[in-house]
Amino acid sequence: MSYLDATQDLYKEAALTPDIGLCCTTTPIWQFPGLSIPKIMQEMNYGCGSTVSAQDLVNNPKILYVGVGGGMELLQFSYFSRQKGGVTGVDSVDEMLEASQKNFKVAEEENDWFKSEYVNLVKGDALNLPVADESIDVAAQNCLFNIFKIEDLKKAVAEMYRVLKPHGRLVMSDPICEQPMNDALRNDDRLRAQCLSGSIPLKDYVKVLTDAGFGTIEIRGRRSYRVLSPNHYPTDELIYIESIEIAAIKDPMPEDGPCMFTGKTAIYYGDEEYFDDGKGHVMYQNQPLAVCDKTAAALAKASDQIHVSESTWHYNGGGCC
């Protein structure tokens, strides 16, 4: 049995018998005015964060969500795209698709604005998406891509890039791990399917995204997720796993490499009214400016009267690169 088969079996079980403890995180379940999320959807929320952000969801976007879970994020996305087929959910597990469809009927009863036809559920594979080129504004996945081994991860990211429109967004939540894992953990198909032993360092995750062509990367959240301890797992040391919320934007790749926002800000405190670096960055007295990591480094070199913060690993938009 391959690790992908083990994943299929695990999520078939999770569809037939909801497993509340399969994934959980400190990220709150976002509630919006007039939105009621059925209890069964919350119990089947197999994610490690959230991919739903209002800043991405303007002008009735076409949305793709891969790995439907119990349908909670599909419902949340539908809140912003109230049109027939506005949201497409793709999953390779028949039982999960059937469970989601049933859950949408419950959601219709609890939400007078929602119609099941807003969501188009499709059986498909993340490695070969049944979606047309450049047809999607926002693509999302939650706690799925970390399961893939590196070559399959590259294929899944390339597929998301393919279906996105220019300047479209790939929004993801996944576990990451900065420590090396032993072979016993890496080769345990069940632990990989449980979103534990497939976690890789952030820099490696980002490299897969930028190698696929995404020109802008935003780290929107970084939180504690799990520990793998010697008394519960085949490891001699404690391994710390975090969850990230990250957006990769299909912008043209800058000549000097991708723009990566990690929550840095720059503040000018010099003697003049403002500072202009001549490269499109104008900073006014004591006004914080969100900057990408490249711009942060350049501004720090340009003036000794600019304070540049460390990465906060939380970025909410704005600023420049």
Side-chain angles (χ1 to χ4, degrees):
M1 177 184 291
S2 72
Y3 82 94
L4 293 174
D5 291 331
T7 302
Q8 289 278 112
D9 290 346
L10 178 70
Y11 285 93
K12 176 180 177 179
E13 295 169 11
L16 297 173
T17 305
D19 185 352
I20 297 174
L22 182 59
C23 293
C24 65
T25 179
T26 53
T27 303
I29 294 176
W30 300 122
Q31 301 283 355
F32 302 106
L35 171 62
S36 173
I37 300 175
K39 181 180 179 182
I40 184 62
M41 284 188 173
Q42 298 183 45
E43 292 175 348
M44 296 178 68
N45 177 28
Y46 304 135
C48 61
S50 177
T51 62
V52 181
S53 180
Q55 70 195 49
D56 301 323
L57 303 171
V58 296
N59 300 321
N60 292 319
K62 289 289 186 178
I63 301 163
L64 169 67
Y65 189 78
V66 181
V68 300
M72 186 185 80
E73 287 190 284
L74 291 165
L75 175 63
Q76 291 173 315
F77 280 126
S78 295
Y79 183 88
F80 295 93
S81 185
R82 303 184 187 189
Q83 54 184 308
K84 184 176 181 179
V87 180
T88 297
V90 174
D91 205 297
S92 61
V93 180
D94 289 327
E95 291 80 4
M96 197 64 79
L97 291 168
E98 292 168 6
S100 294
Q101 193 66 64
K102 291 178 181 177
N103 293 347
F104 290 142
K105 296 300 181 184
V106 179
E108 282 186 326
E109 296 174 359
E110 295 187 13
N111 296 272
D112 57 11
W113 59 268
F114 177 69
K115 298 178 182 179
S116 292
E117 67 180 23
Y118 291 168
V119 182
N120 180 32
L121 292 176
V122 181
K123 184 173 182 179
D125 189 336
L127 306 180
N128 187 22
L129 291 171
V131 180
D133 294 357
E134 298 189 354
S135 61
I136 298 296
D137 296 294
V138 178
Q141 67 85 19
N142 196 333
C143 212
L144 170 64
F145 281 12
N146 75 99
I147 294 172
F148 293 133
K149 294 182 179 179
I150 189 65
E151 292 306 316
D152 286 336
L153 175 60
K154 292 177 181 178
K155 291 177 184 177
V157 170
E159 277 293 275
M160 290 292 218
Y161 187 89
R162 175 183 66 80
V163 303
L164 281 169
K165 298 176 183 178
H167 307 292
R169 295 167 181 246
L170 170 56
V171 188
M172 300 163 290
S173 180
D174 258 326
I176 58 168
C177 182
E178 301 299 340
Q179 298 169 250
M181 290 192 193
N182 62 43
D183 290 341
L185 289 170
R186 288 293 188 201
N187 296 327
D188 188 314
D189 292 343
R190 185 84 176 177
L191 291 180
R192 183 175 284 274
Q194 290 173 338
C195 301
L196 295 173
S197 65
S199 308
I200 61 177
L202 178 60
K203 65 178 179 59
D204 295 342
Y205 196 101
V206 169
K207 188 175 187 304
V208 173
L209 296 171
T210 56
D211 283 352
F214 290 100
T216 302
I217 307 295
E218 301 177 352
I219 309 299
R220 295 180 171 180
R222 185 170 181 172
R223 303 174 177 86
S224 294
Y225 181 61
R226 293 285 195 278
V227 292
L228 304 182
S229 58
N231 58 320
H232 291 293
Y233 298 93
T235 174
D236 294 329
E237 62 176 344
L238 193 72
I239 295 177
Y240 173 56
I241 300 176
E242 300 169 278
S243 69
I244 55 166
E245 293 173 5
I246 184 169
I249 303 174
K250 193 175 178 177
D251 288 338
M253 182 66 67
E255 290 185 3
D256 58 350
C259 294
M260 182 167 173
F261 289 86
T262 63
K264 289 186 176 182
T265 56
I267 300 177
Y268 172 63
Y269 58 90
D271 300 320
E272 305 299 326
E273 182 180 353
Y274 64 89
F275 173 83
D276 185 347
D277 70 349
K279 299 178 181 178
H281 308 115
V282 178
M283 304 179 65
Y284 291 92
Q285 268 284 345
N286 216 22
Q287 297 296 309
L289 176 69
V291 289
C292 77
D293 289 8
K294 289 188 303 183
T295 297
L299 290 174
K301 291 181 179 180
S303 171
D304 59 4
Q305 294 181 314
I306 295 176
H307 176 271
V308 177
S309 75
E310 298 295 325
S311 297
T312 63
W313 304 110
H314 292 82
Y315 172 74
N316 292 320
C320 62
C321 65

